[in-house]
């Protein structure tokens, strides 16, 4: 077969966009992915509208009388308090992490030498340390400081957990800012803080938004610190409440799924605003 | 400085704890130094050895499924169509959900009266103890963990696939390559550097995984799903033996240190090019 005939036989797409060929394998993978990822999500929502008696048995798997009972039962003052706790803890932790990580990432991106390299390696190690390795010493330290059962303990622990991760995620964004941009500004007589604030920071705003989103998401779902540092369950955030209920005996599935949906809704809102950013930002920061 | 204090200090304390005899009574008093006794006890009683073995099995399953699933999803979802985009978005959303939510759903799906077993009973099969049998629980939790990490891996692999120059695909198509050949000879070689980095990240992710074990099995049945992170939590906060928990955590940290060194080297090498 001569190559010229093949060229003619190969249709090109007009916009220079890559022509992806639909192989049976690719279609099969898509169907499997759809099943494996849609069903759990569908199931959590469906179950949350079920009556306790409809949960068991295949006859009522899809067709059932929807009820808001689970949500009605879930909406207690306890739940609202937990929602408030989640918001306070996640927002404050994210703010602290950004306040520390932005200058640190900028510094590590600009300065070269042995010390920054050591610092960077240390951060990579810290980012990977299992959370259970820090929960024990934190528990002892906060106990000694009489901070147990306060929001401050959980916020500090979350901030310490997320800061190395945030610095590593942010650093490539700062590295991508051309130093010439800053030099031009300093020639114009701008002071270094001003340069950072009004020249560099706007350029990396996507990176900051990506990092803030991820930190918020992870702190929102964090429950190990919360379960152990809060001595009274009345102080639990949503994630801890959910973790406590799922591990109790005789689980009320519709109630649990309703709580799961309520915990996930703020994530859905945040996610719908930041998905585009995440799609880009994750691939820049996470692997570099 | 703030960072160093808050991040390094706990590790120093952890090491001190692991070399002392600390129970709930003397957590805030003197810590009698006992050397390596906690570690020796852990290994001679088999608790730590089992924990390490469980962790190893867990990490291998999560990493293999996580990487293969990630590549498969990336290749299948590299198009720009609406359905593909929606599916990718949904997957990343699920990845973004709290692990405690995802873990709860899977605990429900895999329960005796859950969806999977209801389906099995439709076909006249008896229910399968996904989470209630010592032989299968660890595998089940690991597979769910892999499921949770695939969307992230797919997103990163997908970016790498999209980075392959168009000419390479055109050349392959001119040569009459089938989609399968295109995958093996064009896409896969291009994914090698990404696979190395994501491989380490996935191993570390699996290694430190705690949430899914806590939510789905609490380490049971027996001790069959006690991975190192869960074991150290269990010893410290359920058994109130803080120093034994610290010793297990130290073993975990040492393994992570080795992995992190590999990762840090590859990152630094890439930057000094």
């Amino acid at each position: 077969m001569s190559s010229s005939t093949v060229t003619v036989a190969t249709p090109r797409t007009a916009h220079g966009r890559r022509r992806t060929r639909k192989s049976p394998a690719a279609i099969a993978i898509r169907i499997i992915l759809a099943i494996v990822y849609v069903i759990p999500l569908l199931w959590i929502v469906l179950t949350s509208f079920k009556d306790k008696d409809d949960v068991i048995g295949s006859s009522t798997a899809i067709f059932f009388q929807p009820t808001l009972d689970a949500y009605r039962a879930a909406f207690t003052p306890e739940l609202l308090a937990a929602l408030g706790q989640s918001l306070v803890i996640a927002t404050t932790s994210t703010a602290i992490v950004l306040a520390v990580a932005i200058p640190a990432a900028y510094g590590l991106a600009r300065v070269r030498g042995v010390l920054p390299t050591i610092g960077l390696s240390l951060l990579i190690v810290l980012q990977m340390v299992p959370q259970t390795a820090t929960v024990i010493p934190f528990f002892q330290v906060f106990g000694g400081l009489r901070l147990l059962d306060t929001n401050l303990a959980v916020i500090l622990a979350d901030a310490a957990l997320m800061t190395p991760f945030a610095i590593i995620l942010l650093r490539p964004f700062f590295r991508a800012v051309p130093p010439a941009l800053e030099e031009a500004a300093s020639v114009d007589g701008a002071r270094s803080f001003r340069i950072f604030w009004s020249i560099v920071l706007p350029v990396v705003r996507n990176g900051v938004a990506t990092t803030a989103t991820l930190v918020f998401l992870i702190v929102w779902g964090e429950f190990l610190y919360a379960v152990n540092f809060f001595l009274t369950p009345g102080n639990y955030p949503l994630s801890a409440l959910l973790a406590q209920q799922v591990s109790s005996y005789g689980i009320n599935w519709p109630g649990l799924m309703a709580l799961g949906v309520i915990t996930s809704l703020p994530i859905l809102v945040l996610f719908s605003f930041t998905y585009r950013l995440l799609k880009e930002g994750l691939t820049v920061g996470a692997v570099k | 400085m703030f960072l160093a204090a808050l991040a390094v200090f706990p590790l120093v304390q952890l090491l001190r704890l692991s070399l002392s005899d600390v129970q709930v009574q003397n957590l805030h008093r003197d810590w009698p130094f006992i050397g390596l006794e906690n570690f020796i006890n852990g290994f001679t009683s088999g608790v730590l050895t089992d924990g390490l073995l469980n962790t190893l099995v867990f990490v291998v399953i999560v990493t293999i499924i996580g990487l293969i699933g990630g590549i498969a999803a990336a290749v299948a979802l590299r198009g720009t169509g609406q359905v593909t985009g929606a599916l990718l978005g949904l997957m990343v959303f699920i990845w973004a959900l709290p692990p405690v939510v995802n873990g709860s759903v899977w605990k429900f799906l895999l329960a005796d009266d859950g969806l999977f077993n209801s389906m099995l009973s439709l076909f006249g099969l008896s229910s399968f103890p996904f989470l209630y049998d010592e032989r299968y629980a660890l595998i089940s939790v690991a597979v769910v963990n892999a499921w949770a990490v695939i969307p992230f891996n797919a997103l990163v692999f997908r970016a790498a696939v999209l980075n392959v120059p168009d000419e390479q695909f055109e050349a392959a198509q001119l040569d009459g390559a089938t989609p399968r050949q295109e995958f093996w000879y064009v896409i896969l070689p291009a994914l090698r550097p990404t696979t190395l980095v994501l491989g380490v990240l996935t191993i570390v992710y699996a290694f430190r995984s705690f949430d899914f074990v806590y939510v789905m099995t609490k380490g049971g049945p027996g001790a069959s799903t006690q991975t190192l992170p869960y074991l150290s939590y269990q010893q410290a906060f359920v058994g109130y033996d803080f120093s034994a928990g610290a010793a297990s955590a130290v073993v975990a940290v040492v393994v992570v240190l080795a992995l992190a060194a590999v990762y840090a080297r590859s990152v630094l090498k890439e930057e000094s090019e």
Side-chain angles (χ1 to χ4, degrees):
Chain A
M1 197 192 287
S2 77
S3 58
S4 59
T5 54
V6 178
T7 317
V8 174
T10 309
R12 298 279 181 97
T13 46
H15 321 289
R17 196 196 277 167
R18 177 175 305 146
R19 198 173 64 92
T20 44
R21 293 190 278 185
K22 288 207 167 83
S23 70
I27 293 169
I29 294 171
R30 269 182 244 175
I31 292 172
I32 293 172
L33 287 174
I35 293 173
V36 168
Y37 285 92
V38 171
I39 284 183
L41 204 60
L42 192 69
W43 214 245
I44 181 176
V45 178
L46 280 183
T47 307
S48 71
F49 289 108
K50 279 183 187 175
D51 186 82
K52 269 181 221 159
D53 304 328
D54 286 341
V55 170
I56 304 164
S58 43
S59 57
T60 49
I62 311 270
F63 304 101
F64 58 93
Q65 187 71 39
T67 162
L68 283 172
D69 284 356
Y71 287 94
R72 255 180 238 126
F75 265 106
T76 56
E78 199 189 10
L79 177 100
L80 291 175
L83 181 66
Q85 281 292 75
S86 283
L87 283 172
V88 169
I89 292 170
T91 318
T92 320
S93 308
T94 310
I96 296 176
V97 169
L98 288 182
V100 178
I102 289 175
Y106 178 60
L108 278 175
R110 280 288 174 262
V111 186
R112 292 186 167 276
V114 183
L115 224 56
T117 309
I118 295 176
L120 189 63
S121 317
L122 188 67
L123 287 174
I124 291 174
V125 171
L126 286 176
Q127 178 207 352
M128 294 180 170
V129 167
Q131 216 190 335
T132 45
T134 53
V135 69
I136 301 170
F138 272 145
F139 181 79
Q140 186 263 330
V141 171
F142 291 139
L145 296 172
R146 308 214 170 275
L147 283 179
L148 288 183
D149 217 15
T150 66
N151 286 354
L152 189 61
V154 179
I155 289 170
L156 283 178
D158 281 338
L161 175 75
M162 298 311 298
T163 303
F165 168 77
I167 296 174
I168 290 173
L169 199 65
L170 276 170
R171 207 180 66 105
F173 289 97
F174 282 111
R175 271 171 70 88
V177 180
L181 204 66
E182 292 156 65
E183 283 155 21
S186 74
V187 168
D188 290 343
R191 300 199 25 212
S192 56
F193 178 73
R194 248 196 83 76
I195 296 176
F196 175 70
W197 188 256
S198 55
I199 311 262
V200 179
L201 213 50
V203 179
V204 297
R205 61 174 186 274
N206 278 3
V208 173
T210 305
T211 310
T213 306
L214 282 176
V215 172
F216 189 94
L217 289 179
I218 297 174
V219 175
W220 185 267
E222 195 286 322
F223 65 86
L224 177 58
Y225 290 150
V227 164
N228 288 304
F229 298 162
F230 285 127
L231 308 175
T232 31
N235 288 336
Y236 278 1
L238 282 175
S239 54
L241 207 60
L242 192 55
Q244 183 200 33
Q245 294 203 2
V246 72
S247 44
S248 62
Y249 290 100
I251 303 169
N252 163 15
W253 290 115
L256 190 75
M257 293 299 130
L259 189 57
V261 171
I262 295 167
T263 307
S264 306
L265 277 180
I267 300 296
L268 179 63
V269 174
L270 181 65
F271 184 82
S272 58
F273 283 114
T274 55
Y275 173 53
R276 271 168 195 287
L277 280 173
L278 282 182
K279 221 166 119 185
E280 308 272 311
L282 276 178
T283 48
V284 175
V287 184
K288 284 270 158 74
Chain B
M1 279 300 107
F2 165 82
L3 168 81
L6 223 57
V8 180
F9 178 65
L11 293 184
V12 177
Q13 287 291 87
L14 184 75
L15 193 64
R16 279 187 55 213
L17 268 169
S18 72
L19 300 173
S20 314
D21 180 18
V22 183
Q23 311 296 321
V24 76
Q25 311 87 336
N26 64 337
L27 183 62
H28 298 297
R29 294 204 212 112
D30 292 338
W31 296 353
F33 181 82
I34 53 167
L36 293 175
E37 207 172 294
N38 289 316
F39 295 91
I40 296 166
N41 281 343
F43 281 113
T44 48
S45 69
V47 177
L48 259 176
T49 329
D50 288 348
L52 262 172
L53 273 176
N54 286 339
T55 314
L56 187 73
V57 173
F58 191 84
V59 167
V60 168
I61 296 175
V62 174
T63 308
I64 292 179
I65 301 181
L67 287 181
I68 294 179
I71 292 178
V75 173
L77 300 178
R78 76 189 136 116
T80 45
Q82 277 194 337
V83 180
T84 334
L87 188 53
L88 188 67
L90 178 86
M91 286 172 67
V92 181
F93 172 63
I94 287 177
W95 171 80
L97 284 179
V100 58
V101 172
N102 285 331
S104 304
V105 181
W106 278 101
K107 186 176 187 178
F108 179 40
L109 289 172
L110 298 177
D112 269 342
D113 46 16
L115 181 66
F116 277 66
N117 277 323
S118 309
M119 303 257 279
L120 287 180
S121 72
L122 279 185
F123 295 109
L125 299 164
S126 57
S127 73
F128 189 86
F130 292 102
L131 298 174
Y132 308 114
D133 189 300
E134 297 205 359
R135 282 165 298 175
Y136 310 119
L138 186 65
I139 300 171
S140 301
V141 181
V143 171
V144 171
N145 238 285
W147 170 86
V149 79
I150 283 176
F152 173 77
N153 286 358
L155 199 62
V156 179
F157 275 130
R158 186 173 173 271
V161 174
L162 294 178
N163 264 335
V164 178
D166 274 354
E167 294 81 55
Q168 287 192 22
F169 284 99
E170 280 166 21
Q173 289 176 14
L174 283 182
D175 291 342
T178 62
R180 178 175 301 194
Q181 287 168 326
E182 204 173 271
F183 174 75
W184 285 108
Y185 298 110
V186 181
I187 296 178
L188 217 50
L191 291 183
R192 256 194 73 185
T194 315
T195 311
L196 283 180
V197 178
L198 265 188
V200 178
L201 286 182
T202 310
I203 289 174
V204 173
Y205 164 83
F207 190 83
R208 41 177 304 187
S209 176
F210 167 82
D211 301 12
F212 284 94
V213 177
Y214 181 95
V215 169
M216 293 175 69
T217 62
K218 288 229 148 189
S224 59
T225 53
Q226 272 186 5
T227 57
L228 275 184
Y230 192 82
L231 175 66
S232 63
Y233 163 81
Q234 167 98 17
Q235 289 171 323
F237 291 100
V238 181
Y240 294 114
D241 187 345
F242 288 98
S243 46
S248 306
V250 166
V251 174
V253 172
V254 169
V255 179
V256 166
L257 277 177
L259 289 167
V262 177
Y263 177 70
R265 254 186 62 192
S266 77
V267 170
L268 295 174
K269 210 174 6 179
E270 193 183 318
E271 288 197 346
S272 60
E273 68 335 352

